Amino acid sequence: MNKTAFSMPPNLNPDQASPDWMNKGDNAWQLTAATLVGLQSIPGLLILYGGSVKKKWAVNSAFMVLYAFACVILCWAAWGYRFSFGDKMIPFWGKPNFALDGHYLMEQTFLGKFPNATMVYFQGVFAAITLVLIAGALLGRMNFYAWMLFVPLWLTFSYTITAFSIWCPDGFLAKMGIIDYSGGYVIHLSSGVAGFTAAYWVGPRLTQDRQRFPPNNILLMLFGAGLLWIGWTGFNGGDPYVVSVDASLAVINTHICTAASLLTWLLLDIVFFRKPSVIGAVQGMITGLVCITPAAGVVQGWAAVIMGICSGSIPWFTMMVIHKRSEMFQKVDDTMAVLHTHAIAGSLGGILSGIFAVPKLNRLFYGTSGHYIGLFYGLADKRTHDGFRQIGVQLVGVVFVVVLNIVSTSIICVVVQIFMPLRMSEEEMEIGDEAAHGEEAYAIWGDEEEKLDPKYELAKSKAGGQVEM
């Protein structure tokens, strides 16, 4: 009987460009997922911010996003990635090194069947969107030159520490068994706390801007929000580092939770304010996306619904009730409410992950059950100690990220302030984009009557601008 030797199809045979350790499907999906995450920032949040602010701040807001994305990508490859995922230097930081060498970039990454180049790209867009989210708290008054210094400093002395501690296998919180599937702590809790802290140091917008700050283009805002939502498919679907059933589960859970959160927020707006607010619906969408992020691939669909209801109601309450009654919250001008939509929703998702995480799904994602078990299943499986331990680890993670970002962000703001003011001048804030950048978002449809106002001309001259004749 003749036996035919098995041979791979020619396009799947290993070669120098496709070594035997690389899975072409995993690599293709990882690059696609990374690009989806990149689109969340450029153009997603760029458009969302540009459409959400007053017309006079549309260019500045969008430009803060564009600059942050470019700066982070370069700094990430130069030193940020190895600080976050390199060899351990101390329990919360990797050894400094660069990720620019061709030999290193083509080696297999620390997790997954694809090269370091893919992982650097994937993690780089995650780092970039974190700084972009921080920008949301500072729109409408931060000195752009101060922002240019703040971005690389915060990436280096805050983000890399959190990323190594939670996501790197050598990080101390990773070894404790914290569950953060895709960045509820590393990205959202970090950006929410850092944004709120930076907003305190930068100071508020002009009083008239805080009292009335209508979006200049709600349809553009919705377009950006839509890119954010759909881009989250790569955000959570790419974190298993493999094309798997776990990735599929993470994607569907993401959309289930987000839909439930949006609808919950919408219903609360209708019940208490008698109007279905599209801005409120976007806020509910964002809190749903954030809340499911630390749990996406380790909880069941019914848990995603519960998490959506929680993320559509608890941040709604903190924003619409507690914020309006709290002098501290009123004092700090958090333009896009990142404290509520990211810090509170992210910590909520982290705690709920500790309640609903399924042992089998944890095993699929982490490769071992270990201590990874939600309290709900710990009680059901008579592993009560492990269930409560998981909640404890999740809470330790919240405290660590909050304290780190309050301290590091405050120090960075103080240092930047030594070299330049964090806040624009009153005259620059009065004018907006033209004073800051010499450009306007809607110059063709500019309000010429406004420019003829003597107050406008006086403010413009004080800001160093020239009057157009």
Side-chain angles (χ1 to χ4, degrees):
M1 184 176 178
N2 292 329
K3 293 184 178 179
T4 304
F6 175 77
S7 62
M8 295 285 287
N11 65 314
L12 295 181
N13 282 329
D15 55 32
Q16 277 193 315
S18 300
D20 55 7
W21 50 258
M22 189 178 83
N23 184 300
K24 290 188 176 183
D26 292 347
N27 193 40
W29 166 238
Q30 210 64 37
L31 289 169
T32 302
T35 301
L36 286 170
V37 177
L39 286 170
Q40 290 181 288
S41 294
I42 309 293
L45 284 167
L46 183 152
I47 296 174
L48 191 153
Y49 289 174
S52 297
V53 297
K54 273 188 170 183
K55 182 179 70 174
K56 70 176 182 176
W57 291 118
V59 170
N60 180 260
S61 301
F63 198 12
M64 287 179 73
V65 175
L66 185 65
Y67 167 78
F69 191 85
C71 182
V72 169
I73 291 298
L74 182 59
C75 296
W76 184 251
W79 65 80
Y81 178 77
R82 300 294 282 272
F83 268 136
S84 303
F85 296 99
D87 298 329
K88 183 173 75 171
M89 180 172 63
I90 50 179
F92 52 83
W93 227 6
K95 293 180 180 178
N97 208 333
F98 55 83
L100 296 169
D101 179 73
H103 179 71
Y104 173 79
L105 291 173
M106 289 190 290
E107 289 179 344
Q108 185 174 5
T109 189
F110 68 96
L111 286 174
K113 297 178 180 179
F114 46 83
N116 280 320
T118 300
M119 184 64 87
V120 173
Y121 174 39
F122 182 76
Q123 293 294 345
V125 290
F126 272 74
I129 199 172
T130 310
L131 268 301
V132 169
L133 293 173
I134 292 174
L138 307 170
L139 302 179
R141 81 279 196 182
M142 187 171 189
N143 179 2
F144 193 82
Y145 298 107
W147 177 242
M148 291 178 71
L149 279 181
F150 178 90
V151 170
L153 289 173
W154 192 87
L155 173 75
T156 305
F157 297 106
S158 185
Y159 183 85
T160 59
I161 295 173
T162 310
F164 187 92
S165 301
I166 293 176
W167 278 346
C168 184
D170 288 329
F172 81 97
L173 284 170
K175 289 183 175 180
M176 287 176 64
I178 192 169
I179 297 173
D180 188 11
Y181 187 89
S182 195
Y185 290 96
V186 178
I187 295 172
H188 300 292
L189 180 55
S190 289
S191 63
V193 174
F196 191 78
T197 304
Y200 166 80
W201 287 100
V202 172
R205 289 165 288 172
L206 295 175
T207 302
Q208 62 264 32
D209 284 343
R210 291 191 71 182
Q211 291 174 345
R212 187 174 182 276
F213 202 72
N216 72 86
N217 195 319
I218 287 183
L219 292 181
L220 269 184
M221 182 193 76
L222 284 174
F223 180 49
L227 285 171
L228 194 66
W229 184 345
I230 299 306
W232 226 280
T233 297
F235 200 102
N236 288 344
D239 265 291
Y241 303 145
V242 62
V243 178
S244 66
V245 293
D246 192 41
S248 299
L249 179 66
V251 170
I252 190 61
N253 278 344
T254 296
H255 296 292
I256 288 171
C257 180
T258 303
S261 182
L262 186 155
L263 295 174
T264 301
W265 195 294
L266 177 62
L267 288 174
L268 288 170
D269 276 350
I270 292 172
V271 169
F272 288 94
F273 302 124
R274 300 289 187 257
K275 284 188 182 294
S277 167
V278 67
I279 297 175
V282 170
Q283 301 282 32
M285 178 204 83
I286 293 172
T287 56
L289 291 167
V290 171
C291 184
I292 195 61
T293 292
V298 296
V299 300
Q300 297 192 45
W302 59 264
V305 174
I306 295 174
M307 293 180 72
I309 294 171
C310 292
S311 64
S313 56
I314 294 174
W316 181 94
F317 181 75
T318 64
M319 186 186 299
M320 300 299 178
V321 179
I322 296 178
H323 185 101
K324 293 179 179 179
R325 297 178 181 178
S326 168
E327 289 186 11
M328 182 192 74
F329 286 150
Q330 289 291 317
K331 182 179 179 181
V332 179
D333 183 13
D334 179 1
T335 308
M336 298 296 290
V338 297
L339 177 72
H340 303 282
T341 56
H342 293 278
I344 290 174
S347 56
L348 175 64
I351 294 168
L352 292 175
S353 299
I355 295 175
F356 294 124
V358 183
K360 177 182 176 181
L361 297 177
N362 283 321
R363 189 164 58 251
L364 289 177
F365 182 60
Y366 291 104
T368 176
S369 294
H371 295 289
Y372 298 107
I373 182 171
L375 178 61
F376 182 85
Y377 292 91
L379 296 174
D381 297 346
K382 297 182 179 180
R383 293 174 56 189
T384 306
H385 176 267
D386 287 341
F388 278 107
R389 180 188 179 280
Q390 190 66 61
I391 290 290
V393 172
Q394 301 301 109
L395 291 173
V396 168
V398 171
V399 173
F400 171 75
V401 175
V402 169
V403 172
L404 170 66
N405 280 279
I406 290 175
V407 173
S408 62
T409 305
S410 295
I411 292 173
I412 290 167
C413 286
V414 170
V415 170
V416 171
Q417 202 166 28
I418 294 173
F419 300 96
M420 62 189 64
L422 292 171
R423 190 166 174 263
M424 292 182 183
S425 67
E426 298 283 320
E427 291 78 15
E428 287 175 320
M429 288 191 289
E430 188 75 38
I431 297 170
D433 288 336
E434 193 173 355
H437 305 287
E439 298 162 323
E440 296 180 53
Y442 307 104
I444 294 175
W445 306 306
D447 189 354
E448 296 302 325
E449 287 74 17
E450 181 186 67
K451 291 186 177 183
L452 292 175
D453 189 319
K455 292 182 180 178
Y456 177 90
E457 296 295 345
L458 178 62
K460 187 173 180 179
S461 63
K462 288 182 179 180
Q466 295 182 354
V467 180
E468 295 179 0
M469 300 300 292

